[in-house]
Amino acid sequence: MEIIVKAFESATVLDVQAPRIDAAVAIQFKDKVRAAVSEGTGRVILDLSQVEFLDSSGLGAVVAAMKQLGKERPLELAALSPKVDKVMKLTCMDRVFTIHETVAAALAPENVA
Amino acid sequence: MTVSQSTHNSPGLGPLPAVARDRAADLHFAFVGNLQQVRVTLDAIDAEMAGRNLCPDARDNIQLVLAEVLNNVVEHAFRDRADGALSVTIEIGRDVLHCVVLDDGAPMPGLEMPNGERPEVVGIAVEDLPEGGFGWFLIHRLSEALHYERSEAGNRFTFRLPVARN
């Protein structure tokens, strides 16, 4: 799993280059996110456009990443595939995370606090 | 010794009518229980489902529920083992898949499955959000007739997955 870090003025985008965030890579995902956001400030957008499948371990890892980032660096999600969206809705995590249709929408001026 | 627990009143529906049975359509996978093998098996099952005219939602649910059940076995029943024996058998009926997952690992704590309550997440402070407990919720939520049985041979999980067809 690779995570590409893209620094924008209004946010840091983490582009997850993996078809799955599941039990097999959950720990690796947490470590990669931690490394990716070790520098910088402000919002973090998790670009999930490449991620087709997220299981409960993957969801737990995303929650852990949000907790680790803390209040100063809110973690937001973008570009959910249908399966990922479904898991978010079933678990009500869609009401916890700020979710954007696309990364472009996440970076749009109206979404920048 | 056999200990049974069921979330519904019937542990199984008994034999299906012969007309709904297609023995040749049964799928069976037996493998060494690790997370990579679970992935390989899930891909193989999804490939089998791809040619069966299921609605995409049903296919997604099959992947998700089997991922949760199989990964749970690897991470808990096989916690200290790399050689656990795991198998999944899927009997394909017209409107439903009958799934049986067997493992020779440690029993469920208290010989019971965790209940399927959804972890509370709405209105919870970020630092207090749960990172686990979603798996059993998803299994209970998306399957039917979920049943767990412990015997000397190990753990046996049975459940049904509805399969609306296109």
Side-chain angles (χ1 to χ4, degrees), chain A residues 18-26 30 53-57 59-61 63-68 70-71 82-83 86-87 89-97, chain B residues 35-36 38-40 42-43 46 57-58 60-61 63-64 67-68 71 75 118-119 121-124 126-138 141-142:
Chain A
R20 301 177 191 228
I21 307 177
D22 63 6
V25 296
K30 278 190 268 192
F53 183 78
L54 177 88
D55 67 9
S56 67
S57 301
L59 176 61
V63 173
M66 179 167 70
K67 290 162 81 165
Q68 197 172 73
K71 287 186 184 124
K83 277 187 248 191
K86 180 175 188 171
V87 170
K89 287 200 167 84
L90 283 168
T91 57
C92 288
M93 287 303 292
D94 62 327
R95 294 167 63 186
V96 173
F97 289 111
Chain B
L35 297 176
Q36 285 305 325
V38 168
R39 270 190 172 186
V40 169
L42 290 173
D43 279 343
D46 195 50
D57 205 40
D60 293 350
N61 290 352
Q63 284 286 294
L64 188 55
E68 297 299 343
N71 285 332
E75 295 195 314
R118 184 175 57 221
V121 297
V122 178
I124 305 283
V126 168
E127 59 269 29
D128 296 328
L129 282 171
E131 293 172 34
F134 298 110
W136 280 105
F137 161 71
L138 291 169
R141 173 76 175 70
L142 298 174

